[in-house]
Amino acid sequence: GQNIDQPTEMTATEGAIVQINCTYQTSGFNGLFWYQQHAGEAPTFLSYNVLDGLEEKGRFSSFLSRSKGYSYLLLKELQMKDSASYLCAVRDRGGNAGNMLTFGGGTRLMVKP
Amino acid sequence: DAGVIQSPRHEVTEMGQEVTLRCKPISGHDYLFWYRQTMMRGLELLIYFNNNVPIDDSGMPEDRFSAKMPNASFSTLKIQPSEPRDSAVYFCASSVDRGTEAFFGQGTRLTVV
C-alpha cells in the first residue's frame, strides 16, 4: 500500500512564492504526479517526476527526492487564479494495481491580495 | 477531441433508487478509470478498465456498485440501491497507458437524500 501526506491548507499572498510538500511511502515507486483542482472542477495535470531533481514548467516547478520519499510543488509569482487544491499522486509498480496512481488528500491553497 | 465527457453533471436522488453515471473517454485512450471524491476520503480509485475489460475493482465499496464498459467509447457506473453515504463527486478519467497522465471528466456530483 501507499501512504501520501500533504498539508491540508496553505495561505499565501499574491505575487509571492509558495512551496507545497508531499511525503510518501511506497514499496515500488514509479513516478509522482501533481494535479491542480479548482473548486467544483476536475483535476488537471501539472507535472510529473520520476527521477530526482527539479522539473520546471513556467511559474510551476516540481522537485523529487526518491531516497527521502519527498516531493514539493513550487509556485512562483502567485496569482489569484492559483487558489485551488493541489493533489500529489504516486505511481506504484507493484501488484495487480501496479502502475496505478494513488492520490493524496490534496492541499487547498488560498491566495490573498 | 472534447475530452472526457460525463453525464449527468448533477444528480439528486432518493435513498434506495438506482443511479447510473455515464462516461465517454477520449478516443484512443485504452484505459478508463472511475474515481470517487469526498472531503473525508479524498480521491479514491473505484475501478479501472483496459480495452473495455475490468482489470481491478478492488476499490468498489460494495456489491451495490457495478461498472461496465460495453465498448471503447462508453462506460457506466451504477449504484443500486443508493444510500446517503454514496453522496460524492464521481470522476471518470482516461489515459493512453495506466500509469501516464490521466485526463479527467468534469465529474458527476451525486446527492442521495
Side-chain angles (χ1 to χ4, degrees), chain B residues 57-87:
Chain B
D57 65 354
S58 59
M60 297 284 261
E62 48 196 275
D63 292 345
R64 297 184 297 104
F65 286 68
S66 62
K68 294 182 180 179
M69 192 166 185
N71 57 63
S73 60
F74 183 65
S75 177
T76 59
L77 178 68
K78 185 176 294 186
I79 308 172
Q80 166 63 18
S82 58
E83 297 182 2
R85 60 193 169 118
D86 302 331
S87 297

Side-chain angles (χ1 to χ4, degrees), chain B residues 2-31:
Chain B
V4 176
I5 300 172
Q6 291 185 245
S7 64
R9 289 294 307 276
H10 301 275
E11 176 81 33
V12 180
T13 190
E14 290 185 345
M15 182 174 63
Q17 296 298 306
E18 177 180 295
V19 176
T20 300
L21 311 180
R22 298 172 176 79
C23 175
K24 180 181 187 303
I26 294 173
S27 176
H29 283 193
D30 292 336
Y31 287 82

Side-chain angles (χ1 to χ4, degrees), chain A:
Chain A
Q2 298 174 17
N3 190 22
I4 302 171
D5 290 313
Q6 308 177 233
T8 305
E9 285 188 354
M10 297 183 70
T11 302
T13 304
E14 190 177 16
I17 299 173
V18 71
Q19 178 175 311
I20 302 174
N21 296 325
C22 172
T23 58
Y24 62 88
Q25 294 174 315
T26 182
S27 54
F29 177 82
N30 196 23
L32 187 143
F33 294 74
W34 283 96
Y35 278 78
Q36 180 191 59
Q37 185 178 24
H38 284 99
E41 297 184 9
T44 55
F45 171 78
L46 284 179
S47 69
Y48 168 67
N49 295 71
V50 67
L51 299 176
D52 291 349
L54 190 68
E55 293 284 338
E56 297 187 77
K57 191 185 290 186
R59 293 190 298 115
F60 294 3
S61 303
S62 56
F63 171 83
L64 175 68
S65 169
R66 288 171 296 172
S67 63
K68 295 181 180 178
Y70 168 69
S71 171
Y72 67 71
L73 180 68
L74 193 71
L75 290 75
K76 304 175 187 175
E77 302 169 17
L78 279 173
Q79 302 176 10
M80 298 299 290
K81 66 177 181 178
D82 297 331
S83 294
S85 287
Y86 292 85
L87 308 173
C88 172
V90 174
R91 185 168 72 187
D92 188 294
R93 66 162 56 89
N96 187 39
N99 281 323
M100 297 308 303
L101 292 184
T102 300
F103 284 83
T107 299
R108 190 169 69 168
L109 173 67
M110 289 173 282
V111 180
K112 295 184 175 181

Side-chain angles (χ1 to χ4, degrees), chain B residues 32-107:
Chain B
L32 183 141
F33 310 87
W34 282 101
Y35 287 90
R36 177 173 67 176
Q37 188 174 40
T38 61
M39 288 292 292
M40 291 295 294
R41 301 176 66 90
L43 199 59
E44 303 173 282
L45 178 66
L46 300 177
I47 184 172
Y48 82 94
F49 295 83
N50 177 25
N51 291 323
N52 315 337
V53 177
I55 303 300
D56 189 338
D57 65 354
S58 59
M60 297 284 261
E62 48 196 275
D63 292 345
R64 297 184 297 104
F65 286 68
S66 62
K68 294 182 180 179
M69 192 166 185
N71 57 63
S73 60
F74 183 65
S75 177
T76 59
L77 178 68
K78 185 176 294 186
I79 308 172
Q80 166 63 18
S82 58
E83 297 182 2
R85 60 193 169 118
D86 302 331
S87 297
V89 181
Y90 290 82
F91 285 104
C92 175
S94 70
S95 67
V96 172
D97 190 359
R98 61 180 175 175
T100 55
E101 175 188 352
F103 294 83
F104 284 77
Q106 289 300 301

